[in-house]
Amino acid sequence: MSDMTPTGSAGHNPTRHSSSASFDAVDIIRTKRDHGTLSPEQISWTIDAYTRGVIAEEQMAALNMAILLNGMNREEISNWTSAMIASGERMDFSALGMATSDKHSTGGVGDKITLPLAPLVAVFGVAVPQLSGRGLGHTGGTLDKLESIPGWRAELSSTEMMRQLADVGAVICAAGASLAPADKKLYALRDVTGTVESIPLIASSIMSKKIAEGTGSLVLDVKVGSGAFMKDEASARELARTMVALGQDAGVNTVALLTNMETPLGLTAGNAIEVQESVEVLAGGGPDDVVELTIRLAEEMLAAAGVHGADPAAALRDGRAMDVWRRMIAAQGGDPDARLPEAKESEVIYAPADGVLVGLDALAVGIAAWRLGAGRARKEDLVQAGAGVRMHAKPGALVRAGEPLMTLLTDTPERFARAKEALAAAVVIAPEGSRPSQRLILDRIA
Ligand code: URA
């Protein structure tokens, strides 16, 4: 035992945990620092004590860094996840009498798939309880996108959520404060201490919320590439395997797809412009990659929920998914027919040369959209509904010098310069006949 208390002030006894185990935060940090293994009791004490403010922020920061550098084994990750679930409430949709399924994306640029996907899956009688978040940094948040619809409300009570699931079959809303509160505190700390990029911490963070949310089955869309957390396929595969194992261990039927995030999904990165593109998909159109991924994820969600032989593509073509979308938006106060906000100012970026567009970097586009006002740098910032980047060509397209490649959108034109800086090296044009690698779905992990 160290001579310091868990709060870091010298000379007192270690704080007692309500479950009667007694630990010292510094011992726990040293164990991880020295490549040791934390016991279930140590982990449950750590998460509980941190949530209650007994472990100091600097101690948790040190422990996170030790975990980032030295990892955790499967049992530790599972115990860490269970402790985070136990820090809050666990939702239960069994009273619905319907199968439930959810999708989680690890975050990408132009990733609006949840919007068409949730109503599409609900068409087939599987309820979709989607608890989503707001964006921070270069990846957009689903709630920010939906909040560009006039009147739409993200905050629902549990009763409202349950009623909407029973009536409409799909709900996308904000996660309440009682869902895995340990993760909220921990994530904010990781964000400012360079400890986000740890597979055990990412996996436990995501899965604690998804398991607490109470879904019966879960499909994970693990993004790989410049615009994703995981830049290479091997790390993405490890993250996917870790999360699938956590889900299965908790009795949630979980599968994962690894999908390409070298280039943005679809032709839009922003808020209102992504809603508009999602509505195009629900109307049977939209960009091929968004349609392909929406259909594939719907098939996976339906199969995971025990529904086989459904044809999601038909439900996009014949308007059934659109009907559910309209009801889902209206149920949360939104007007599905309202005109979406538009940015006041625009600036076009032109192709610098003739050839084949072989690269359009997702991270650069995400940063540009963020700098234009579509995303926030701090939690309390407001986003601009109309801001973002509209792309006119995707990798594989033949382009001519001087042709529009992208339109930048914002209400505040002083932002254009910094957005253009982000895009300076985003576009790669190769001689005619070149072919970019265009695989969208890289692997499936079950
Ligand atoms: N998303 C989360 O919810 N948690 C992480 O740690 C990373 C991404």
Side-chain angles (χ1 to χ4, degrees), residues 187 190 201-202 205-206 209 229:
Y187 191 79
R190 288 166 55 210
L201 294 178
I202 296 176
S205 163
I206 292 173
K209 287 173 288 200
F229 268 122

Side-chain angles (χ1 to χ4, degrees), residues 73-353:
N73 68 28
R74 177 166 171 178
E75 203 192 334
E76 288 177 295
I77 302 172
S78 171
N79 291 330
W80 190 271
T81 307
S82 302
M84 295 222 287
I85 296 169
S87 73
E89 282 170 23
R90 207 165 162 162
M91 300 184 78
D92 179 5
F93 297 113
S94 54
L96 274 179
M98 293 166 86
T100 50
S101 195
D102 193 7
K103 185 262 320 187
H104 179 84
S105 155
T106 55
V109 178
D111 186 0
K112 70 275 297 167
I113 303 289
T114 293
L115 277 57
L117 181 64
L120 176 58
V121 169
V123 166
F124 299 95
V126 171
V128 183
Q130 255 275 342
L131 297 179
S132 292
R134 291 187 170 74
L136 191 64
H138 75 274
T139 60
T142 297
L143 300 183
D144 294 323
K145 300 180 212 285
L146 284 166
E147 277 173 343
S148 65
I149 302 173
W152 189 85
R153 185 164 63 91
E155 322 296 328
L156 296 186
S157 67
S158 308
T159 314
E160 286 172 318
M161 193 178 170
M162 201 68 174
R163 192 182 316 129
Q164 186 171 327
L165 279 174
D167 293 350
V168 181
V171 62
I172 303 173
C173 65
S178 58
L179 198 89
D183 178 65
K184 287 199 178 61
K185 208 174 160 195
L186 204 53
Y187 191 79
L189 179 66
R190 288 166 55 210
D191 202 31
V192 295
T193 54
T195 50
V196 169
E197 299 88 348
S198 147
I199 287 177
L201 294 178
I202 296 176
S204 53
S205 163
I206 292 173
M207 293 306 291
S208 62
K209 287 173 288 200
K210 288 292 152 185
I211 296 166
E213 174 196 277
T215 185
S217 58
L218 176 65
V219 177
L220 299 161
D221 181 1
V222 180
K223 302 288 186 197
V224 191
S226 81
F229 268 122
M230 298 293 134
K231 308 292 180 200
D232 63 275
E233 214 172 308
S235 324
R237 188 166 285 113
E238 190 188 333
L239 176 64
R241 286 209 180 104
T242 308
M243 291 197 290
V244 167
L246 286 172
Q248 302 294 11
D249 287 353
V252 179
N253 190 10
T254 307
V255 298
L257 297 183
L258 297 194
T259 69
N260 191 328
M261 190 31 71
E262 287 298 346
T263 202
L265 260 176
L267 291 165
T268 55
N271 296 309
I273 54 176
E274 290 200 38
V275 172
Q276 190 186 34
E277 190 168 271
S278 303
V279 171
E280 285 167 22
V281 172
L282 287 157
D288 291 349
D289 55 350
V290 180
V291 174
E292 179 187 344
L293 192 53
T294 303
I295 292 172
R296 177 62 191 271
L297 287 166
E299 287 166 352
E300 293 286 353
M301 285 171 73
L302 291 167
V307 174
H308 299 279
D311 184 357
L316 287 178
R317 281 194 305 270
D318 64 20
R320 280 175 292 159
M322 179 69 97
D323 288 345
V324 179
W325 160 264
R326 293 175 61 81
R327 289 169 51 222
M328 180 181 88
I329 296 302
Q332 288 171 247
D335 176 357
D337 297 314
R339 201 186 156 98
L340 292 168
E342 285 174 24
K344 295 195 181 87
E345 308 284 340
S346 64
E347 201 169 308
V348 177
I349 296 200
Y350 298 95

